[in-house]
Amino acid sequence: MEPLGIKGAFVISPRVHGDGRGSFHEWFRADALRDRLGHDLKLEQANCSVSARGVLRGVHFADVPPGQAKYIWCVRGALLDVVVDLRVGSPTFGRSEAVRLDEENRRCMYLAEGLGHAFLALEDDTTAIYLCSESYNPPREHGVHPMDPELGIAWPDGLDIVLSDKDAAAPSLAEALAAGLLPDYQDCLAYYDKLGAAFP
């Protein structure tokens, strides 16, 4: 479990055991996550999405506190998983990082509360499951347009991008900032401290 360049974001690379029967791996270990984060992942909801090639979901985030931490795994197909630092006042505010998750590398992503999340399906029938620390709460859920140039996300070429109506109508980063929608970094740090987080 290695940290990315954005505080509170990690990529998890499990050890896959394979033989003539197939393979086995542990895609989630509460104790290992606790050791790395300094606190347990509070599990309130588990989601599964199946996406056609080119479907782009996000950038989504929730008000902090409590926000919504996520633990994402690609069960089938392949996706480009993206974390965006939307925390106003963060040293990495506006920065994004992308990691490929697929059925071969079996990698997972963990994103702390206050971070934005998006993913792009690279193959048909790409299936993602994700564990969430809080249940979906529509009034507290927000988005930033994933194609906003200010985010600088390097989406792959050669795909016909498909957005939901809601994501297509999402504000730019500047608009979300001006509207006061974005999480405050100090509020996020205070919440992490309350959880007992020990992020690098």
Side-chain angles (χ1 to χ4, degrees):
M1 186 171 178
E2 297 298 329
L4 297 177
I6 296 173
K7 186 182 185 76
F10 297 82
V11 60
I12 297 94
S13 301
R15 183 178 293 110
V16 179
H17 306 276
D19 57 27
R21 300 168 298 164
S23 69
F24 171 87
H25 75 283
E26 297 170 344
W27 72 274
F28 175 78
R29 281 280 302 265
D31 57 344
L33 194 66
R34 182 188 315 116
D35 289 346
R36 196 66 176 92
L37 300 181
H39 67 90
D40 287 308
L41 173 63
K42 175 187 172 190
L43 178 57
E44 289 291 330
Q45 184 169 320
N47 300 329
C48 177
S49 70
V50 181
S51 303
R53 185 174 187 266
V55 168
L56 200 170
R57 301 178 186 268
V59 176
H60 301 149
F61 66 98
D63 292 337
V64 179
Q68 189 183 62
K70 295 177 180 176
Y71 189 98
I72 306 102
W73 178 37
C74 181
V75 181
R76 180 175 62 195
L79 59 85
L80 188 68
D81 204 66
V82 178
V83 55
V84 183
D85 193 347
L86 300 175
R87 302 166 299 187
V88 179
S90 167
T92 53
F93 175 72
R95 183 188 301 175
S96 64
E97 290 199 39
V99 175
R100 181 185 170 103
L101 308 182
D102 61 44
E103 61 185 68
E104 298 297 327
N105 66 38
R106 303 294 187 186
R107 290 188 294 189
C108 302
M109 284 270 280
Y110 172 84
L111 311 177
E113 296 84 353
L115 295 175
H117 178 242
F119 67 81
L120 174 65
L122 304 175
E123 299 176 6
D124 284 332
D125 295 322
T126 289
T127 303
I129 58 176
Y130 37 111
L131 310 179
C132 303
S133 65
E134 297 290 336
S135 299
Y136 178 65
N137 187 341
R140 301 181 63 83
E141 301 284 335
H142 309 285
V144 171
H145 202 291
M147 309 307 286
D148 180 4
E150 191 173 353
L151 297 180
I153 302 173
W155 300 113
D157 295 327
L159 292 173
D160 293 326
I161 301 296
V162 178
L163 297 174
S164 69
D165 291 342
K166 182 179 178 181
D167 289 345
S172 67
L173 181 65
E175 291 168 339
L177 178 61
L181 295 176
L182 302 178
D184 179 80
Y185 186 56
Q186 293 304 318
D187 290 345
C188 291
L189 292 181
Y191 189 69
Y192 302 156
D193 285 343
K194 181 180 177 181
L195 292 174
F199 302 148

